[in-house]
Amino acid sequence: MLEQTLYAHDEINAVRCLIRDHAWATLVSSVPRSGLIVSHLPVILDPERADATVLGHLARTDAELHQLGEHDTVLVIEGPNGYISPSVYQHGPYVPTWNFVVAHIHGRPEPLGPEDAYGVLEATVDHFESQRPKPWSLHTVEEYARHIAPDVTAFRLNPTRIVGKAKLSQEKPPEVALRVIAALDSGDDAHRNPELADAMRRILRKFPCDAAQPPDLNSGELDNATP
């Protein structure tokens, strides 16, 4: 991925927020004599760490294809993203673009033993169920869950390198960035994308990802916030 200082998004707290909010990840391994192996899986932050270490699990047969633990991998976390039409700029000349937030987490996964693997399954369920009014627990079906758990391989990935990128119209004049945000928030726009609009507000105002909803921006504030 092209790395550009203007769009750098690898501060640990920002990466943690991205993992927390966008847990469906892509795991890529380069395996000798097999080429690239790609799998999709849920991941969560390791609750015992304050960095970007993740816990994940995938089918045992998938893990075998990756030869998990024997090779370095890249875990791709994709955040808010969407098409931006030049028609919303009212300025230019410009061409269409794609705004996005993404992180590539490099490292060698550490496969976990049966009991730790079951703990990862419990923690993963708890993470997603915490959003529900009456969270369901894996403990409810513990006997069955432990019966099928051996078909799953869980792992810990301690990053050796993180490349994060948030390309969110930082290079545009403040008034243009505001028009993009307004279009993404508009119920009338074909490419309405409130989540992407919120990500733009936070980045352009340097508003922490784990803070409350940022207030609306004005062009004066953007003059002071953007490089």
Side-chain angles (χ1 to χ4, degrees):
M1 180 169 65
L2 174 65
E3 296 183 54
Q4 297 164 282
T5 302
L6 179 60
Y7 305 131
H9 193 63
D10 45 19
E11 189 270 330
I12 287 298
N13 192 52
V15 175
R16 285 177 59 86
C17 287
L18 186 61
I19 296 167
R20 179 197 66 199
D21 297 336
H22 298 273
W24 187 241
T26 302
L27 181 70
V28 184
S29 303
S30 179
V31 178
R33 295 183 296 279
S34 296
L36 294 175
I37 306 296
V38 182
S39 297
H40 305 277
L41 67 155
V43 297
I44 60 171
L45 291 164
D46 186 337
E48 297 183 1
R49 302 286 293 270
D51 56 12
T53 296
V54 299
L55 301 173
H57 71 278
L58 67 172
R60 178 172 49 82
T61 50
D62 256 2
E64 291 169 353
L65 289 174
H66 283 270
Q67 297 180 4
L68 204 69
E70 298 180 32
H71 311 287
D72 290 343
T73 63
V74 179
L75 190 70
V76 181
I77 309 290
E78 185 178 298
N81 68 91
Y83 176 81
I84 308 298
S85 170
S87 63
V88 306
Y89 292 145
Q90 301 174 30
H91 195 275
Y94 287 128
V95 295
T97 192
W98 202 275
N99 278 7
F100 63 89
V101 182
V102 71
H104 294 176
I105 301 176
H106 298 248
R108 182 166 297 193
E110 172 197 352
L112 301 176
E115 198 57 37
D116 286 339
Y118 189 80
V120 170
L121 298 178
E122 284 187 305
T124 302
V125 170
D126 290 346
H127 171 74
F128 293 107
E129 287 287 334
S130 66
Q131 303 169 37
R132 301 182 64 82
K134 294 182 178 180
W136 183 88
S137 171
L138 194 61
H139 181 71
T140 306
V141 292
E142 182 174 1
E143 183 177 352
Y144 173 70
R146 287 190 178 276
H147 175 71
I148 64 174
D151 293 329
V152 170
T153 297
F155 65 89
R156 175 181 291 107
L157 180 60
N158 183 18
T160 56
R161 181 185 179 215
I162 297 174
V163 181
K165 188 170 184 177
K167 179 186 169 296
L168 297 171
S169 300
Q170 296 98 315
E171 81 287 359
K172 298 292 190 295
E175 65 275 11
V176 173
L178 285 173
R179 284 196 283 270
V180 173
I181 292 172
L184 293 171
D185 266 337
S186 173
D188 299 326
D189 194 275
H191 296 104
R192 183 175 186 269
N193 192 332
E195 186 183 21
L196 184 57
D198 181 67
M200 288 184 62
R201 288 189 192 93
R202 291 179 184 277
I203 287 292
L204 296 173
R205 194 169 184 172
K206 297 180 173 60
F207 205 80
C209 63
D210 52 357
Q213 172 74 23
D216 288 336
L217 290 159
N218 58 55
S219 57
E221 288 177 305
L222 281 187
D223 281 330
N224 294 326
T226 55

